Amino acid sequence: MTDVTTGTASPSSPGAPADAARLRSALAAVRTEVGKAVVGQDGAVTGLMIALLARGHVLLEGVPGVAKTLLVRSLSQALSLDTKRVQFTPDLMPGDVTGSLVYDGQTGGFVFREGPVFTNILLADEINRTPPKTQSALLEAMEERQVSVDGVSRRLPDPFIVAATQNPIEYEGTYSLPEAQLDRFLLKLTLDVPERDTEVEVLRRHAAGFNPRDLAAAGVAPVLGAAELQAARESAARVGANADVLAYIVDLARATRRSPSVRLGVSPRGTTALLAAAKAWAWLSGYDSITPDHVQAMLVPVWRHRIQLRPEAELEGVGADAILRSIVQQVQVPI
């Protein structure tokens, strides 16, 4: 089983439509541009591009200093997309994210002032540091792509994704994300501390004058626009899935619900999320329809945050990733 967040796309299959091949080439150029600023996080870059293609949101988990924020900023720069960053803190209010009505002295009435959620890529930094009330302010935006204030619904820009970060080892002053919100994230990507050679390359770049706050000086240039991204999304949505593969996804989900180590298995929303991610990965890899390999590659990042383990499994040190990989080994693969 291969986790897509640790690898690269397979070669394109022969006979792919010219426009799809061109769009895939443009997305490959995006990866190159991001690589000018971020080293050693190729899997996370792939995951973010899959989320954009599948219209999903991403939860980035890693210790401080592994380039989570830089990764999102570099990607938005390469895609010519607007991005805003919100530092989530205990005193952050819902209106600070979604926007609020403010009094206009000239008109004598109230006008809506847009919050930072009105952007293409919202970087929700340390999302688990704000109380549930503020976390829930994102639920409508993530699911419906709109914000409702004072009975009026306002559409968010398209594309729109939330890229939220959280620290996996620091729990003081944090609030666990509710299941309803976790389920809205298409992927949960883990960013590890880089290998020695990669970390040496990071230092070499900084020694040569690299400034992570100046991406233009680093050479990160826009290579893809919103219109091309929309065309890529539409092309990826046309990737097929036969009945056997669809049944395979359902069998995997049902296996999580029966696992003795799992208290809460994958919901039907989780199966549709896996299908969407597998289609995006298949399209990036040059396939016209998804295969069990694409499903297996996307299963861990799509489902690792959607299952709840039993306390005894957690005490034994069993992780969600290990359980999911075990389930993949147990469920029969359609031939």
Side-chain angles (χ1 to χ4, degrees), residues 1 28 51 76-77 113 120 139-140 148 151 173 209 221 294 307 315 333-334:
M1 174 181 172
S76 62
Q77 174 92 352
R113 178 177 295 169
N120 297 125
L139 286 177
E140 183 186 16
S148 297
H294 298 125
I307 63 173
L315 289 174
V333 180

Side-chain angles (χ1 to χ4, degrees), residues 111-128:
V111 296
F112 179 72
R113 178 177 295 169
E114 294 183 349
V117 75
F118 286 85
T119 186
N120 297 125
I121 302 180
L122 177 67
L123 176 58
D125 211 357
E126 295 190 285
I127 190 173
N128 58 335

Side-chain angles (χ1 to χ4, degrees), residues 90 128-130 171-175:
N128 58 335
R129 287 200 172 276
T130 199
Y171 298 103
E172 184 176 354
T174 64
Y175 303 83

Side-chain angles (χ1 to χ4, degrees), residues 41-316:
Q41 299 293 358
D42 292 342
V45 176
T46 300
L48 283 167
M49 289 197 295
I50 286 173
L52 281 165
L53 288 172
R55 306 174 189 270
H57 309 287
V58 180
L59 184 61
L60 301 169
E61 187 173 89
V63 298
V66 291
K68 298 186 294 293
T69 302
L70 180 61
L71 172 61
V72 174
R73 290 178 52 239
S74 302
L75 182 67
S76 62
Q77 174 92 352
L79 290 170
S80 303
L81 297 178
D82 180 52
T83 184
K84 291 185 174 68
R85 176 179 179 272
V86 178
Q87 182 66 48
F88 279 69
T89 57
D91 60 347
L92 193 72
M93 298 298 292
D96 297 330
V97 179
T98 60
S100 57
L101 295 173
V102 295
Y103 181 74
D104 186 341
Q106 294 182 344
T107 63
F110 287 89
V111 296
F112 179 72
R113 178 177 295 169
E114 294 183 349
V117 75
F118 286 85
T119 186
N120 297 125
I121 302 180
L122 177 67
L123 176 58
D125 211 357
E126 295 190 285
I127 190 173
N128 58 335
R129 287 200 172 276
T130 199
K133 181 179 180 180
T134 303
Q135 291 176 5
S136 65
L138 281 177
L139 286 177
E140 183 186 16
M142 294 172 69
E143 184 66 19
E144 307 295 339
R145 264 66 176 186
Q146 67 179 24
V147 168
S148 297
V149 177
D150 197 30
V152 178
S153 297
R154 296 170 172 85
R155 299 296 300 175
L156 295 175
D158 188 32
F160 169 76
I161 73 166
V162 174
T165 72
Q166 66 177 12
N167 185 336
I169 62 173
E170 193 172 355
Y171 298 103
E172 184 176 354
T174 64
Y175 303 83
S176 298
L177 297 181
E179 288 302 314
Q181 187 164 7
L182 281 173
D183 209 32
R184 260 62 171 194
F185 286 100
L186 177 71
L187 303 172
K188 179 182 178 182
L189 306 177
T190 57
L191 281 71
D192 299 320
V193 175
E195 300 290 338
R196 179 182 183 277
D197 291 345
T198 302
E199 195 165 1
V200 169
E201 173 62 17
V202 171
L203 286 183
R204 187 195 66 77
R205 294 190 180 192
H206 278 264
F210 171 70
N211 181 3
R213 297 169 184 81
D214 190 353
L215 295 178
V220 180
V223 293
L224 193 72
E228 290 173 302
L229 178 59
Q230 177 61 26
R233 285 175 157 186
E234 294 172 356
S235 182
R238 290 192 291 269
V239 170
N242 64 44
D244 288 342
V245 175
L246 296 178
Y248 179 54
I249 293 175
V250 172
D251 289 342
L252 289 167
R254 292 174 67 85
T256 66
R257 301 165 197 162
R258 296 191 301 265
S259 172
S261 299
V262 176
R263 182 169 64 89
L264 178 65
V266 173
S267 69
R269 191 203 305 270
T271 61
T272 59
L274 180 55
L275 174 63
K279 291 177 71 169
W281 177 235
W283 182 85
L284 278 174
S285 304
Y287 288 80
D288 295 327
S289 61
I290 64 173
T291 69
D293 286 341
H294 298 125
V295 173
Q296 293 176 3
M298 294 306 310
L299 184 139
V300 171
V302 174
W303 282 0
R304 58 164 49 119
H305 57 293
R306 299 176 189 272
I307 63 173
Q308 286 187 6
L309 304 186
R310 295 188 182 277
E312 52 268 29
E314 294 179 341
L315 289 174
E316 293 173 1

